[in-house]
Amino acid sequence: MTPLLNEDSRTFTVDLLRVNLFMNRQQLGQQAAQAVASQIRTLHRSQDFIHIIFASAPSQNEFLNALTQEIDIDWSRIRAFHMDEYIGLPVDAPQRFGQYLKERLFDKVPINEVYYLDGNAADPQQECLRYGALLEQYPTDIVCMGIGENCHIAFNDPHVADFNDPDLVKKVQLDLTSRQQQVHDACFPTLEQVPEYALTLTIPALVRAHYLFCMVPASHKAEAINHTLTDTISETYPATILRSHANATLFIDQDSAAKYLKETALVK
């Protein structure tokens, strides 16, 4: 599979997926924020409200910081969701994904409404149904996401990923790679402290959005990016589904792209 390169070799396509390559994660975050902000402004010219799903992970730090600084975004006309949440963490735990987004985005902009996924709900199945109903009520326009070390999107690890999942939100058991990633990212001190279960938006809930923006910096994502761009589109590597979406853009840096660039002979 040979990518189609433009003149400066920083933008190419793999199947339907547009890929933008940057020198470092700071540049990646800034450019991704500009792209998302531009799409928001375009949508606001034709609709009253925009519905956006956000990922929660250190890979999103630069992007979210830059997005809060974008001007001319009418946050009062945006409703926000997040794509997953641990089950069983204390309400004030800094690792809670809703808390992450609250601190890095929602408390910094005058957003209209945020719908939080409750990982401590007494009945997880009912919470999945409640959140799924909100996603039906407010159809997703934009998803801002990342890719996990095992190519998960949201918490759709390979063993639970289903491109034809009948649900929009479900309870999942996290695989070992996902849990170890939380330690690699310094979110938890030890593996034992990482929850084993979470609630997650399913793959159909994500890819039915009109626009997908995927931000993936850093060298520990190099294997995942290579799989995403080169392997057969299947649940074995869930992120490969991005290559079949008509309006998906992947933002990578030299570190996360390293293995792919080497194996496709785009660098020497």
Side-chain angles (χ1 to χ4, degrees):
M1 184 185 306
T2 303
L4 304 175
L5 295 176
N6 72 359
E7 291 181 357
D8 63 10
S9 298
R10 290 177 56 190
T11 301
F12 57 92
T13 61
V14 179
D15 296 325
L16 299 181
L17 178 63
R18 294 181 294 277
V19 185
N20 293 333
L21 171 64
F22 300 97
M23 290 297 298
N24 54 60
R25 61 187 300 157
Q26 189 66 38
Q27 186 184 42
L28 181 161
Q30 291 172 347
Q31 294 299 315
Q34 290 178 18
V36 171
S38 176
Q39 189 61 65
I40 290 172
R41 296 183 193 108
T42 297
L43 289 173
H44 267 153
R45 290 197 285 269
S46 60
Q47 60 193 72
D48 291 334
F49 284 91
I50 296 173
H51 308 133
I52 307 178
I53 298 170
F54 290 96
S56 310
S59 64
Q60 307 300 296
N61 287 352
E62 292 81 7
F63 159 68
L64 292 174
N65 181 61
L67 190 63
T68 65
Q69 299 174 48
E70 282 290 321
I71 61 174
D72 297 330
I73 294 179
D74 187 352
W75 289 99
S76 69
R77 295 164 60 199
I78 293 177
R79 299 185 180 105
F81 297 79
H82 57 114
M83 60 180 57
D84 41 22
E85 186 58 271
Y86 291 116
I87 290 177
L89 283 182
V91 174
D92 60 350
Q95 297 95 340
R96 285 171 62 94
F97 293 143
Q99 183 66 24
Y100 168 93
L101 286 170
K102 185 175 186 294
E103 293 175 355
R104 288 166 177 77
L105 178 61
F106 302 147
D107 279 352
K108 295 183 177 183
V109 295
I111 199 163
N112 178 275
E113 189 68 71
V114 179
Y115 297 98
Y116 289 100
L117 188 57
D118 184 3
N120 291 328
D123 186 335
Q125 181 57 31
Q126 285 301 312
E127 176 62 7
C128 291
L129 294 174
R130 180 192 73 86
Y131 212 68
L134 287 169
L135 293 170
E136 293 280 20
Q137 183 179 356
Y138 302 120
T140 308
D141 297 296
I142 296 172
V143 170
C144 300
M145 62 192 299
I147 294 174
E149 291 180 20
N150 63 358
C151 285
H152 71 228
I153 52 178
F155 263 141
N156 295 283
D157 292 329
H159 74 289
V160 296
D162 183 352
F163 290 171
N164 298 299
D165 206 309
D167 298 317
L168 294 178
V169 188
K170 66 182 180 182
K171 178 182 175 180
V172 294
Q173 183 174 19
L174 307 181
D175 75 9
L176 183 59
T177 301
S178 273
R179 296 180 65 229
Q180 288 175 329
Q181 180 182 324
Q182 308 310 312
V183 180
H184 298 164
D185 286 346
C187 298
F188 292 88
T190 66
L191 179 64
E192 290 71 26
Q193 292 175 279
V194 182
E196 291 187 37
Y197 293 91
L199 304 179
T200 185
L201 273 62
T202 62
I203 291 175
L206 300 174
V207 301
R208 70 180 189 166
H210 297 301
Y211 301 94
L212 305 180
F213 296 90
C214 187
M215 286 61 76
V216 190
S219 58
H220 64 284
K221 298 293 180 71
E223 289 281 353
I225 289 301
N226 190 53
H227 286 307
T228 297
L229 297 180
T230 63
D231 278 271
T232 301
I233 297 174
S234 76
E235 287 93 341
T236 303
Y237 300 106
T240 56
I241 193 69
L242 299 177
R243 295 185 357 233
S244 67
H245 194 285
N247 292 296
T249 305
L250 175 64
F251 298 82
I252 53 179
D253 65 3
Q254 291 284 349
D255 291 332
S256 62
K259 185 175 178 62
Y260 174 75
L261 294 176
K262 181 178 180 181
E263 294 198 0
T264 54
L266 297 181
V267 295
K268 296 184 178 181

